[in-house]
Amino acid sequence: MRIAVINPNTTVSMTARIVAAATAAAGPETTVVGLQPVMGPDAIEGPFDGALSVPGLLKQILSAEADGADAHIIACFDDTGLDAARALATKPVIGIGEASFHAVNLVAHSFCVVTTLSRSAPIIEDNIHRYGFSRRCRRIFASDIPVLELEKPESGAFERISEFIRQGVALGADGVALGCAGMAQFAADLQREHDLPVVDGVSAAVGLAEMLVRCGLAPSKRGVWAAPTRLGVLDSFR
């Protein structure tokens, strides 16, 4: 099985960390291929960055399908471009945000989300409502640590995320969804420290992608994910 893990931003080091997390979660017969756009923002920190990243993301979906990918993962917690990608792809497309919410609801009755910047929180809130998990989410916390700072020890990211988890538990959360692909590195240690399920969306998405491939399922081409008729417009994007 071949899974394309697409980082919608252009930061190579982040793509490498995402691929490492995906590979660790994948089964022995799964090959993980990391991709990222040639052009676009170096981080996705709100709706403007998200919009800029979508054409490059879709180009990578097309490239991965041409190279024989069995499934695609969009490695941005905002689920950037997810509907467009599902319309374009003939194989399953998983967003790590949606994967996180499904996974945490299988292991916790209520949950909180810890994400990066405050301006990303409304996007996540809207997605949680759309996916039907609003009643289970206690709160979305914004650490206000920029995406690209997460990998720097001096950012204090682990300690700051840990403090928000404590606040979420105080509000009744018994599970956590980490709200950025760049937080994958912290998931196991946070789970041990707080003794509750801490879901990394990259790992959850890999498991869901493998399941859909084994079940022979792909996006419906009826309704909103019907195949697009204007593919040629992507030729103007690199």
Side-chain angles (χ1 to χ4, degrees):
M1 187 184 306
R2 185 179 178 90
I3 297 179
V5 178
I6 304 166
N7 173 17
N9 73 47
T10 60
T11 299
V12 174
S13 61
M14 186 171 179
T15 301
R17 287 187 292 118
I18 291 168
V19 169
T23 301
E29 297 182 359
T30 297
T31 299
V32 173
V33 180
L35 300 170
Q36 63 186 65
V38 176
M39 285 184 65
D42 61 357
I44 297 175
E45 297 175 333
F48 182 78
D49 296 330
L52 287 180
S53 73
V54 171
L57 163 68
L58 296 179
K59 291 281 281 189
Q60 294 304 315
I61 293 281
L62 285 176
S63 176
E65 294 241 321
D67 288 341
D70 297 297
H72 313 278
I73 292 171
I74 298 176
C76 176
F77 200 82
D78 293 354
D79 289 342
T80 302
L82 181 57
D83 281 322
R86 284 177 173 162
L88 183 63
T90 63
K91 305 295 184 181
V93 184
I94 307 293
I96 67 168
E98 187 174 15
S100 293
F101 305 138
H102 281 287
V104 77
N105 275 279
L106 293 173
V107 292
H109 184 265
S110 59
F111 68 98
C112 65
V113 178
V114 185
T115 190
T116 51
L117 300 186
S118 298
R119 64 175 172 264
S120 295
I123 299 170
I124 296 169
E125 183 178 10
D126 287 348
N127 285 345
I128 288 172
H129 178 73
R130 176 188 171 195
Y131 301 150
F133 295 122
S134 295
R135 295 180 64 183
R136 306 280 289 272
C137 182
R138 292 294 175 262
R139 187 165 172 182
I140 301 166
F141 296 99
S143 66
D144 284 320
I145 300 172
V147 171
L148 300 183
E149 296 293 311
L150 289 169
E151 59 188 81
K152 299 178 181 179
E154 62 269 24
S155 71
F158 182 90
E159 293 77 14
R160 194 160 176 78
I161 295 167
S162 193
E163 173 56 30
F164 283 121
I165 291 175
R166 282 188 282 271
Q167 292 181 38
V169 170
L171 293 173
D174 51 15
V176 180
L178 295 179
C180 179
M183 294 179 177
Q185 60 187 313
F186 303 128
D189 288 339
L190 288 167
Q191 183 162 287
R192 281 190 292 269
E193 177 158 323
H194 295 278
D195 192 28
L196 82 178
V198 176
V199 176
D200 153 44
V202 175
S203 301
V206 169
L208 285 172
E210 289 178 327
M211 179 271 292
L212 290 174
V213 172
R214 285 195 297 269
C215 292
L217 297 171
S220 172
K221 292 306 170 186
R222 295 178 180 269
V224 70
W225 296 333
T229 58
R230 298 179 180 85
L231 278 180
V233 71
L234 285 178
D235 292 338
S236 60
F237 296 94
R238 287 195 290 165

